[in-house]
Structure formats: C-alpha cells, structure tokens
C-alpha cells in the first residue's frame, strides 16, 4: 500500500531514503557536470580518431551497463552498431561474471567498459583480451580499482567515474539516477569525438541544466498536486504499469523506467513502443487486469481487503510529433477498456535534453513509489 501522506512530507521521505536515491535524482545535473569534467581531464576532448569504429561493444554488469548500451545505441543510430556483451557466470557477483569478445572483433572496433564497481576480474580479463586483439578500450569506473589499473596498463583510456560520498554508504542500486549519468556522460563525450553521435560540451551542459530544472519541479519539497513525478507515483500505486513509448528517444527512457520500477520498488511493468504496443498489449488490457474486469471492485472494502491489481497505461513521448502519431489510437484503446492513462511529454529542446527530462521525471517517480510503498 502506498503511503500518500509520506509523499508530501520531505522529512519523512528523507528518513525513509536509506540509499540516498532522492539525493541522487536531485543531483543528477551536478553528476553530469562532474562526469564531463572527468572526461575532459582524461583527454577525451583532445582525441582525434582516424574515423568511425566499425562496431562499438559495451561491457559491464547489470542494469547500468544495459541501459547505457541501450541509450548509446539509440542515439548513435545506424552509424556503427552498438552491441552489449552479455556476461556469463553462476551468480551476479563481481568474481563470478565473465565477458568474451565476439570472434570477429578486431583493431577497427571499440570496446567500452562501464561499471560502478570496478573490481570485476572478468572485466580486467576482457580489457587484456581486447588489447591483445588490437581493440581500442575505454573504461569508466571508480578510480583506484583493479579495472582502472588493468585498462591503463594495456594502453587503454580510463575515465574516473563521478561518484559522491553517499555512494559508499549503501550498496549502489544499478538503476540509481546518479549511476546512469556518471557512466553515460563520459561515453557520450567520447562518441561525439568519434562522430557516432552529437554530444558536444555545450549539449552536455544543456542536459545538466534540464536535469536541474526537473529537480526543481519534482523535488521532495514540491507538493504532489504540482509535482509530475509524485503524481505519477501515486497513480501507479497498486497498478501494473503498461509503459508505451513514442519517438526514438522515448524507447530507452521507457525501458529504463520499467527496470527502475522493478529494482527500486519491486513493481513489475511491461513496456513496448507505439504503434506496435497497441497490438502487443490489446489482449492484456482486455483481460483480467482491465479496470472493468471486476465489477465488484467498486464495493470492495479498501481497509480490510487488498485492492485488485489493474493495468495503467503510461505514455511517454519524446517530443510533439505533429500529425504522425499513434497517441490518439493509444488513448482510445485504453479508454475502450476502462484503463486509466498517464502521459509525460518533455518541453522542447534537443534530443539529449528531451531524453534527459523523460529519464529524470520517471526516475523521481520510481524513487517516490519505492519510498512511499516500502514497509515501515
């Protein structure tokens, strides 16, 4: 059960936030600036690549690396394929994971390593394997870790991860807002130098400014009625989020939102892109999860009985798309099945800015849902 009173209690939220998730969301803009500075100090801005890499490979543990690869692949488009190297192993622990390069990888390819840990032996071995096969290696990880030494020792480029003191108080959540931006920002700057995407220093500054603006509108001191993130969290209480995305950049934002809901609050969610989502989820909305599926739910005792789980559509759009949009059909499908719908659309701006706003608002929503629904 969601404690809605907690949403409007900044002191209560701070007390419940043992993992500093809200602080990480509020300081996302500052994390981008610090990460961009670390990338510049590491020499990323002075790189003069001979040309685009044939392929970009990304390795790292868990949701952070998966989401980083998803975002970079979306932003890069078809210029060079971006592929995440999935680990193998017997457990999701640093010492149990292993990564292998594909057989075709060679000197014309680029290996990116992104991890908030840096103690994984498998990533150090991967760095050495890439060096022997002639790949260019760039890693973002905490300074002073075994991976930092391995990459530097094999003539790769190492960028220290932008961390905060509170990152070390509790185990880092892979979907924590600060983790994503600390790993993603230096790699955006790097791929800008290679020509795979456009993320010059001024664009990264605009991303940081947009994240600051979202933090002002969605912070814990802002009341629920005027706070888009708190409102969304309240709407998703006791619901199955059905996340529909429209627009290229909204896709990875929706997938990150679903992963953050699962990891931070234990809320399952399904996600798909429009217009395919309409066919993929039509049966789901018409089934037992529809709001109209249980006619007796209106008379249910809300105190003594747990509420029935019903679907709620969350429509994320990365920018107004003019007349070419499936949003009206999405709204009609949801309303036909008595399914409520929440919509988020960023203010105008560049692709990186609008993407950052969608990620920031949904990050805040996932954190609020996690804190207000946690047992106490």
């Amino acid at each position: 059960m969601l404690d809605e009173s907690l949403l409007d209690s900044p002191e209560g939220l701070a007390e419940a936030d043992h993992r500093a998730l809200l602080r990480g969301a509020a300081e996302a803009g500052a994390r981008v600036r610090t990460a961009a500075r670390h990338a510049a100090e590491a020499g990323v801005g002075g790189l003069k690549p001979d040309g685009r890499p044939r392929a970009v490979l990304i390795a790292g543990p868990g949701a952070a690396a998966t989401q980083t690869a998803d975002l970079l692949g979306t932003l890069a488009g078809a210029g060079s394929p971006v592929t995440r190297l999935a680990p193998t192993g017997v457990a999701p622990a640093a010492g149990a994971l292993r990564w292998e390069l594909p057989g075709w990888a060679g000197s014309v390819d680029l290996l990116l390593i992104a991890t908030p840990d840096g103690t994984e032996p498998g990533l150090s071995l991967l760095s050495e394997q890439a060096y022997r096969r002639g790949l260019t290696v760039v890693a973002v990880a905490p300074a002073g870790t075994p991976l930092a030494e391995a990459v530097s020792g094999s003539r790769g480029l190492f960028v220290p991860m932008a961390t905060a003191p509170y990152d070390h108080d509790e185990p880092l959540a892979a979907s924590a807002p600060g983790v994503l931006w600390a790993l993603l920002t230096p790699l955006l700057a790097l791929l800008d130098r290679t020509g795979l995407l456009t993320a010059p220093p001024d664009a990264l500054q605009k991303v940081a400014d947009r994240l600051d603006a979202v933090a002002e509108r969605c912070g814990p001191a802002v009341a629920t009625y005027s706070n888009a993130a708190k409102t969304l969290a309240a709407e998703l209480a006791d619901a199955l989020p059905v996340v529909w995305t429209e627009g290229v950049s909204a896709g990875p934002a929706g997938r990150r939102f679903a992963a953050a809901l699962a990891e931070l609050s234990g809320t399952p969610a399904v996600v798909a892109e429009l217009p395919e989502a309409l066919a993929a989820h039509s049966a789901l909305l018409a089934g037992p999860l529809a709001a109209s599926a249980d006619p007796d739910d209106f008379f249910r005792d809300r105190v003594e009985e747990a509420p029935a789980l019903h679907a709620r559509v969350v429509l994320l759009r990365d920018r107004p798309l003019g007349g070419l949009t499936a949003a009206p059909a999405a709204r009609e499908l949801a309303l036909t099945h008595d399914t409520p719908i929440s919509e988020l659309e960023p203010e105008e701006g560049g692709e990186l800015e609008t993407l950052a706003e969608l990620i920031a608002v949904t990050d805040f929503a996932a954190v609020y849902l996690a804190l207000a629904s946690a047992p106490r």
Side-chain angles (χ1 to χ4, degrees), residues 210 214 217 345-347 353-362:
R210 182 67 66 98
V214 173
R217 300 198 312 265
E345 186 175 295
E347 297 178 0
E353 292 173 77
T354 57
L355 174 60
E357 181 173 340
L358 281 179
I359 290 174
V361 175
T362 52

Side-chain angles (χ1 to χ4, degrees), residues 67-134:
Q67 293 160 14
T68 299
D70 191 10
L71 287 160
L72 292 178
T74 298
L75 294 169
S80 289
V82 177
T83 304
R84 177 182 178 250
L85 302 180
T88 59
V90 296
L97 297 176
R98 293 291 181 271
W99 288 263
E100 292 291 336
L101 291 172
W104 49 262
S107 59
V108 293
D109 303 312
L110 172 64
L111 172 64
L112 306 178
I113 300 176
T115 172
D117 188 336
T119 65
E120 303 92 344
L123 289 177
S124 296
L125 293 173
L126 178 68
S127 170
E128 296 168 3
Q129 181 188 6
Y131 172 68
R132 292 194 299 269
R133 290 176 51 178

Side-chain angles (χ1 to χ4, degrees), residues 18-373:
H18 304 298
R19 293 182 288 177
L21 296 173
L22 269 180
R23 188 171 178 181
E27 296 178 357
R31 193 76 68 116
V32 168
R33 295 185 185 91
T34 302
R37 186 177 71 250
H38 285 184
E41 292 171 351
V44 169
L47 294 177
K48 297 180 179 179
D50 295 333
R52 291 185 175 189
R54 177 182 62 178
V56 178
L57 306 173
I58 301 182
T66 301
Q67 293 160 14
T68 299
D70 191 10
L71 287 160
L72 292 178
T74 298
L75 294 169
S80 289
V82 177
T83 304
R84 177 182 178 250
L85 302 180
T88 59
V90 296
L97 297 176
R98 293 291 181 271
W99 288 263
E100 292 291 336
L101 291 172
W104 49 262
S107 59
V108 293
D109 303 312
L110 172 64
L111 172 64
L112 306 178
I113 300 176
T115 172
D117 188 336
T119 65
E120 303 92 344
L123 289 177
S124 296
L125 293 173
L126 178 68
S127 170
E128 296 168 3
Q129 181 188 6
Y131 172 68
R132 292 194 299 269
R133 290 176 51 178
L135 280 80
T136 300
V137 180
V138 179
V140 182
T145 56
L147 178 62
E149 298 176 7
V151 172
S152 300
S154 58
R155 301 180 185 178
L157 176 64
F158 177 77
V159 181
M161 177 181 169
T163 59
Y166 54 82
D167 285 345
H168 310 290
D169 295 339
E170 296 284 343
L172 279 175
S175 296
V179 173
L180 173 70
W181 293 111
L183 296 178
L184 179 64
T185 303
L187 300 181
L188 287 172
L190 174 74
L191 294 188
D192 174 73
R193 298 299 301 166
T194 66
L196 283 182
L197 50 80
T198 302
D202 62 325
L204 295 179
Q205 179 61 47
K206 289 180 180 178
V207 167
D209 293 342
R210 182 67 66 98
L211 292 172
D212 287 345
V214 173
E216 291 179 5
R217 300 198 312 265
C218 297
V222 181
T224 299
Y225 66 85
S226 59
N227 187 319
K230 287 184 178 180
T231 299
L232 181 57
E235 291 171 345
L236 293 181
D238 305 314
L240 172 69
V242 180
V243 183
W244 291 346
T245 66
E246 183 171 58
V248 176
S249 298
R255 291 186 285 274
R256 170 173 168 79
F257 186 35
L261 287 171
E263 181 180 2
L264 302 182
S265 67
T267 302
V270 294
V271 59
E273 297 185 18
L274 292 174
E276 288 87 351
L278 302 180
H281 292 160
S282 178
L284 185 154
L285 298 186
L289 291 172
S292 59
D294 183 3
D296 295 328
D297 184 61
F298 180 81
F299 302 101
R300 189 183 306 277
D301 188 324
R302 303 297 176 181
V303 176
E304 299 298 331
E305 300 182 45
L309 182 68
H310 294 311
R312 184 181 189 96
V313 170
V314 180
L315 177 59
L316 304 181
R317 303 173 67 200
D318 63 358
R319 63 172 58 83
L321 298 176
L324 188 62
T325 172
R331 298 184 190 103
E332 182 180 359
L333 178 63
L335 295 176
T336 298
H337 297 296
D338 295 325
T339 300
I341 184 169
S342 304
E343 297 191 37
L344 288 179
E345 186 175 295
E347 297 178 0
E348 292 185 3
E351 184 177 30
L352 280 176
E353 292 173 77
T354 57
L355 174 60
E357 181 173 340
L358 281 179
I359 290 174
V361 175
T362 52
D363 275 353
F364 267 107
V367 170
Y368 285 131
L369 186 60
L371 298 181
S373 59

